[in-house]
Amino acid sequence: MALSAERRTALYAAAIAAAAWLVAAMLSFTALGGQFDNNVYDFLFRAAPPRPASSPAALVVFDERTFQRYGGIRRLRANLSRVLERIAGDKPAAVAVDVTLADPGDAEEDARLAASFARTPGLVLACEMMPDGSGWQDPIEPFRRHAAALGHVSTLAGPYDEVNRRITLERVAGRERRWALSLEALRVALGAAGILASPSDVAVGARVIPSRWDEGRPLRVRYSERGIPVISAADLLSGRQAPSMAGKVVFVGVTAISAAPDRLFTPLSRGLPVAGVAIHAQAFQTMCAGAFLADAPLSLALLAALLAAVLIVGALSLLMRWQGWALAAGVLLAAHALPWLCFRHDVVLPASASVGAAWLAMLGGGAFRYFFVRRSLQASEAATRRYQQAFHFVAHEMRTPLTAIQGSSELMSRYNLPEAKRRELTGMINAESRRLAHMITTFLDVEKLSAGQMELRLSELDLAHLVETCCRRAAPLAEKKRIVVANRVPGRLRFRADAELLEYAVYNLLTNAVKYSPAETEVVIGAEADNGGVRLWVTDQGIGMDESEVKQLFQKFYRTKRAEQSGETGTGIGLSIVRQIIELHEGSIHVRSAPGKGSTFTVLLPAR
Ligand code: ADP
């Protein structure tokens, strides 16, 4: 079944859009797509920093300066107890200590530290998972005794890279569950009795933190470069003035490169590692501010990708002027802006699907527009141009008989002409008006044939008789060029066809053969029975055509260069009518030709 051009275009466009969407959707599930989403996430993070506000947290760090001045890791416990005493003096809401205290150290130092812990309000100590996941490494009993809670200090890197965009709120080792240090610090600070977990969130007092259990209880950390005051332990040890920690939750940890075991990266760290304690403080601040980032459902990402692909390919294949490109570019831009817009509304939309689909649709749709749609447009524009040329030609041709008619009738009305002259003039008027009528009929026929409005009037006919009539009509033209038309059609070839249309076709082939042949050559017309139908051919020794010309021959208004240079007038529509007539009879027409050697037009008409 033949499809209309519009239907075919729409079908191809739909296929390209679907392919762009499918490939982009699949890519978004690969490491490549995941890494792209990560990069976009980090970029958006840096592009839209949260407004700095006074933080409910403070960070006390054992940095390089502290280690250099007050001794390194070996003096840590002694220094830690002094620092804690200084912090306790400020009356903070809670103190979370991210220091490994799983082994006993110097007995005197440990005793002093335990005493400091005892005086620390809302103490939360860190515990770490055993490397094999069999249980927890907790602080030793003398320390543990004073802790209001223990919180795990695991972070969550990736996927696909080492950047900590999230932490995990809940971890299970052996059979024991531990909440994150930051979450426990929040609970202790709020004075809540416990942490309530549901499959989709975690509640501390009246605070609800969205975090799905089936996804591993992740929490996207809203990192902020400003907000949390960072105090060097060195300043506290030296008794220097430090920002007040009253009412805050203080996170204490080691950041000195030489001692901190966990060097981590965040979207804001730009390649410079940060210490785990800083991440925990940021996670705590995220929960306090309620600045949660929700992950968009997968269906939304896929839907956005589909919409982008359909709109872009649709615009490129249906809107032919600049509007097509403009709309496509607009949608492409929107596909890039969408993750940003979502991010502004605290929703993380993976960009790879929609951005990938938009670019693939742009490429596919652009190529389709260039190679297919534009070409068919050019073809139809060329046909229109040829139609206009032919129209000018016809208008010009009509003027010749009209001038003759006008002149003759004027002569007759103005002068009293002798009878012989009057008869000559009326004969001319008659012949010229017939020529005009014939020309107009031909043009109307073309239109009717192309619009499929012409119906066949089938009747039993004798081919030899039909060809004979055509030869007779073409004889004056042939005689002028002293061309011999050899009629080799055998008698008794009878079959059903539309006599008038078929005569038109045969006459056209015959006159073409004569028109496009040099003087004193021969044109042969022959026929034979073929499977109940007939095969008819017209051979000449004329100017011929090359292969590419033969291909275009049956297009309306097409004329070869050689034909135009031959000086023979023509419109280039005869053959297009011939082909339509033959096809109406369910037959076919073929051409064999060589430039300068001649052509053979063969028509096959099946039995009806
Ligand atoms: P027209 O003869 O009015 O130009 P046609 O549709 O009958 O229009 O033919 C289209 C073109 O095909 C011609 O202009 C000519 O270039 C080419 N052509 C047709 N018949 C022949 C032939 N027998 N030999 C060479 N060229 C031909």
Side-chain angles (χ1 to χ4, degrees):
M1 197 179 67
L3 285 171
S4 72
E6 288 85 17
R7 274 250 189 113
R8 212 171 36 212
T9 306
L11 213 68
Y12 283 147
I16 291 170
W21 175 73
L22 205 69
V23 172
M26 285 191 321
L27 273 179
S28 72
F29 290 110
T30 64
L32 189 73
Q35 193 53 261
F36 179 78
D37 290 336
N38 282 344
N39 290 341
V40 171
Y41 180 83
D42 296 349
F43 170 78
L44 292 175
F45 222 99
R46 291 193 285 265
R51 270 160 261 109
S54 87
S55 176
L59 200 52
V60 171
V61 294
F62 283 79
D63 51 2
E64 268 80 14
R65 193 149 60 91
T66 315
F67 276 11
Q68 275 161 17
R69 266 198 227 154
Y70 296 95
I73 202 83
R74 286 188 44 205
R75 300 276 309 141
L76 184 61
R77 289 189 187 184
N79 288 330
L80 181 59
S81 46
R82 286 174 60 202
V83 164
L84 284 172
E85 271 151 33
R86 184 57 217 276
I87 294 172
D90 264 11
K91 301 220 175 340
V95 179
V97 180
D98 180 14
V99 172
T100 313
L101 300 164
D103 325 295
D106 176 78
E108 203 177 309
E109 275 179 8
D110 280 1
R112 188 170 168 203
L113 182 56
S116 304
F117 279 150
R119 284 194 290 275
T120 303
L123 178 69
V124 183
L125 291 182
C127 57
E128 262 173 288
M129 195 189 252
M130 302 278 215
D132 60 1
S134 61
W136 292 99
Q137 260 191 329
D138 289 336
I140 52 172
E141 185 47 35
F143 301 145
R144 212 188 137 159
R145 197 182 312 143
H146 306 293
L150 296 179
H152 80 75
V153 286
S154 307
T155 49
L156 198 61
Y160 307 115
D161 58 15
E162 289 303 316
V163 178
N164 292 271
R165 298 175 186 86
R166 305 169 297 168
I167 64 158
T168 172
L169 292 179
E170 177 186 348
R171 290 208 86 171
V172 177
R175 293 197 150 197
E176 211 177 334
R177 172 175 74 183
R178 290 284 162 86
W179 298 106
L181 183 78
S182 47
L183 184 58
E184 287 288 10
L186 178 68
R187 178 180 75 76
V188 171
L190 291 176
I195 295 168
L196 279 178
S198 87
S200 60
D201 49 48
V202 166
V204 183
R207 254 165 230 263
V208 178
I209 300 148
S211 176
R212 295 194 62 87
W213 173 79
D214 52 2
E215 287 168 7
R217 287 260 188 251
L219 171 79
R220 285 189 183 270
V221 182
R222 265 278 165 93
Y223 293 100
S224 159
E225 269 172 344
R226 281 171 288 182
I228 302 179
V230 182
I231 303 157
S232 170
D235 290 346
L236 298 183
L237 289 168
S238 66
R240 209 184 291 162
Q241 187 72 28
S244 165
M245 292 170 273
K248 297 204 175 205
V249 171
V250 184
F251 286 81
V252 184
V254 180
T255 61
I257 302 245
S258 56
D262 44 352
R263 308 307 296 173
L264 306 162
F265 301 94
T266 74
L268 295 186
S269 64
R270 290 193 193 90
L272 282 176
V274 297
V277 67
I279 293 181
H280 304 313
Q282 297 269 6
F284 168 77
Q285 177 160 281
T286 305
M287 288 186 272
C288 275
F292 303 115
L293 282 166
D295 285 286
L298 181 67
S299 54
L300 184 70
L302 294 179
L303 194 73
L306 185 65
L307 206 67
V310 167
L311 284 178
I312 288 178
V313 177
L316 288 179
S317 49
L318 300 179
L319 299 178
M320 264 311 110
R321 298 184 183 282
W322 61 268
Q323 286 94 332
W325 284 115
L327 183 59
V331 178
L332 184 71
L333 214 68
H336 285 76
L338 191 64
W340 176 76
L341 270 176
C342 287
F343 199 86
R344 296 294 302 251
H345 291 90
D346 300 333
V347 174
V348 179
L349 179 83
S352 58
S354 52
V355 170
W359 275 107
L360 287 172
M362 202 77 181
L363 284 178
F368 177 62
R369 179 187 177 101
Y370 187 79
F371 290 113
F372 185 83
V373 184
R374 216 179 75 150
R375 247 199 233 167
S376 60
L377 189 79
Q378 277 172 345
S380 87
E381 275 175 355
T384 315
R385 249 196 323 277
R386 285 202 299 273
Y387 191 90
Q388 281 167 346
Q389 281 168 1
F391 190 82
H392 285 264
F393 171 78
V394 174
H396 182 79
E397 283 292 280
M398 277 183 177
R399 225 182 286 150
T400 324
L402 271 177
T403 319
I405 292 168
Q406 209 180 11
S408 310
S409 56
E410 236 175 71
L411 277 179
M412 283 167 69
S413 63
R414 270 206 208 160
Y415 305 104
N416 203 356
L417 296 170
E419 185 53 29
K421 189 69 186 172
R422 285 180 73 88
R423 219 174 296 136
E424 191 194 324
L425 289 181
T426 36
M428 189 188 312
I429 290 172
N430 192 286
E432 292 299 304
S433 40
R434 267 169 196 273
R435 197 148 82 93
L436 249 179
H438 179 73
M439 230 191 270
I440 291 165
T441 322
T442 311
F443 269 81
L444 291 180
D445 282 355
V446 182
E447 287 314 305
K448 271 201 215 154
L449 269 172
S450 353
Q453 289 167 352
M454 198 93 146
E455 270 186 22
L456 287 186
R457 284 191 297 267
L458 295 177
S459 64
E460 180 94 2
L461 54 84
D462 177 357
L463 189 63
H465 180 71
L466 186 141
V467 170
E468 186 54 44
T469 315
C470 294
C471 288
R472 220 176 316 121
R473 281 177 60 199
L477 201 65
E479 273 162 24
K480 235 196 272 175
K481 295 172 84 173
R482 295 183 302 284
I483 288 175
V484 178
V485 179
N487 179 356
R488 309 243 168 94
V489 177
R492 297 185 180 284
L493 265 181
R494 302 187 66 82
F495 67 103
R496 282 171 69 77
D498 185 314
E500 204 179 315
L501 288 182
L502 197 62
E503 186 180 317
Y504 182 95
V506 174
Y507 176 72
N508 236 285
L509 293 179
L510 214 52
T511 48
N512 273 350
V514 173
K515 266 162 68 179
Y516 302 116
S517 289
E520 295 179 350
T521 51
E522 192 186 32
V523 170
V524 179
I525 178 162
E528 63 188 16
D530 182 276
N531 268 338
V534 288
R535 176 201 302 273
L536 175 135
W537 62 89
V538 178
T539 302
D540 63 48
Q541 301 162 339
I543 57 176
M545 291 158 278
D546 62 33
E547 239 173 79
S548 72
E549 289 171 329
V550 168
K551 274 193 197 139
Q552 304 178 67
L553 200 58
F554 294 100
Q555 284 175 15
K556 240 193 242 178
F557 310 118
Y558 175 77
R559 301 197 74 204
T560 64
K561 279 238 167 57
R562 248 174 245 116
E564 269 169 357
Q565 285 161 358
S566 71
E568 293 286 352
T569 53
T571 54
I573 51 168
L575 280 183
S576 81
I577 306 179
V578 170
R579 186 170 69 171
Q580 290 185 59
I581 291 173
I582 306 295
E583 282 174 356
L584 269 177
H585 283 85
E586 285 160 19
S588 58
I589 179 162
H590 308 277
V591 185
R592 223 164 7 95
S593 186
K597 297 222 170 96
S599 321
T600 297
F601 285 75
T602 306
V603 174
L604 276 165
L605 291 168
R608 292 177 71 95

